[in-house]
């Protein structure tokens, strides 16, 4: 008898669909990025000369030693960006999840409000940022605001009262909150994609689950922790990975500016490549730690 074909499961079909979606990226990565990555790694261990063409002389870890021990700006910039990441990424995720919960409710004009919250994705594109940064009117307005603003706002007064010079846990917590408040514009700009991902995850939750919980006497607060949060936990992990990568690749990143200066202006391809690889490894380690912690709390369902 002919062997019966095994019926393909839904998980297998979803896996095939996922690989088909990422195939263009895989093909593009192999065709256009593998060779530059290998060359960049070689440059990080070499002294690069441009006279008469590109020539590399092996120097070992000299470029990495220069980045850590000689250059006075790289290590402080790297630590500063890691600290900013630890502050902005949780704030971006909490903000985007809160907005997604609001946009998932039924109210008049919901489509227009969703479009407004998606505007940060458009505003964060390279063209708009270039127009904003090169706009003399906006720069003049910013200078006027900075010169005329006094530390008499509510947040400024509260910060001067609550944040002290000591390193107590309470003062550190208040400083963390005020840092988030001061960077709320950047957080809103960076939350467009995360809001859409959270919103799509919320819409996949069956309303019958909430109806059954309500019949059993479950409150809205309990439904959030027992139903909503576990059902979207897989998308929380996706958004964490996306937000960390997006943060580290921003154009206003001081480490990225440092690498660009080393390579583009000083033509120090060896040290610039070493700094870029150090930064890349820090991103990978941060993603690995965060993914390892969050993945243990992720709930997957069919």
């Amino acid at each position: 008898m002919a062997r019966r074909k095994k019926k393909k499961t839904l998980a297998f079909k979803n896996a095939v669909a996922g690989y088909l979606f990422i195939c263009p990226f895989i093909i593009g990565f192999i065709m256009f990025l593998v060779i530059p990555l290998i060359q960049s790694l070689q440059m990080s261990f070499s002294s690069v000369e441009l006279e008469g063409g590109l020539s590399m002389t092996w120097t070992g870890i000299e470029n990495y030693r220069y980045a850590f021990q000689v250059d006075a700006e790289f290590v402080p910039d790297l630590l500063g960006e890691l600290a900013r990441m630890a502050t902005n990424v949780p704030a971006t995720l909490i903000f985007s999840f809160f907005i997604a919960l609001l946009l998932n409710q039924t109210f008049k004009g919901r489509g227009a409000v969703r479009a407004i919250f998606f505007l940060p994705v458009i505003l964060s594109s390279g063209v708009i940022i270039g127009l904003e940064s090169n706009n003399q009117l906006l720069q003049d307005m910013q200078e006027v605001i900075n010169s005329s603003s006094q530390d008499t706002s509510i947040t400024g007064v509260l910060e001067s009262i609550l944040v002290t010079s000591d390193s107590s846990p309470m003062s550190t917590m208040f400083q963390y909150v005020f840092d988030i408040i001061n960077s709320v514009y950047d957080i809103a700009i960076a939350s467009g994609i995360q809001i859409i991902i959270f919103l799509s995850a919320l819409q996949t939750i069956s309303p019958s689950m909430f109806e059954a919980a309500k019949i059993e006497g479950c409150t809205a607060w309990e439904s959030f922790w027992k139903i909503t949060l576990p059902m979207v936990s897989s998308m929380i992990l996706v958004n964490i990975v996306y937000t960390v990568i997006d943060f580290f690749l921003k154009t206003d990143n001081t480490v990225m500016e440092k690498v660009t200066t080393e390579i583009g202006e000083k033509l120090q391809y060896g040290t610039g490549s070493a700094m870029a690889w150090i930064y890349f490894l820090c991103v990978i380690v941060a993603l690995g730690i965060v993914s390892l912690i969050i993945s243990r709390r992720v709930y997957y369902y069919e």
Side-chain angles (χ1 to χ4, degrees), residues 26 47 70 88 123 147 156 173 182 247 255 280 296 298 302:
I26 296 176
S47 175
V70 179
N88 286 14
L123 295 176
S147 61
M173 183 188 69
N182 293 331
F247 174 82
V255 179
F280 173 74
R296 296 184 178 182
V298 172
E302 292 288 338

Side-chain angles (χ1 to χ4, degrees), residues 3-4 19 22 51 57 180 187 200 236-237 261-262 272 290:
R3 184 178 297 178
R4 293 183 178 179
Y19 283 116
I22 65 175
E51 297 180 0
T57 304
I180 294 175
I187 293 173
S200 63
I236 293 177
L237 179 58
T261 301
E262 288 290 325
V290 172

Side-chain angles (χ1 to χ4, degrees), residues 29 31-43 277:
F29 178 81
M31 293 180 61
F32 302 108
L33 294 179
V34 170
I35 294 178
L37 278 175
I38 296 174
Q39 290 179 342
S40 174
L41 185 60
Q42 291 176 342
M43 289 180 183
W277 275 98

Side-chain angles (χ1 to χ4, degrees), residues 155 158-159 162-163 174-183:
T155 55
L158 288 176
E159 185 173 1
L162 298 176
V163 179
F174 284 132
Q175 185 61 56
Y176 176 79
V177 173
F178 284 115
D179 289 342
I180 294 175
I181 294 174
N182 293 331
S183 60

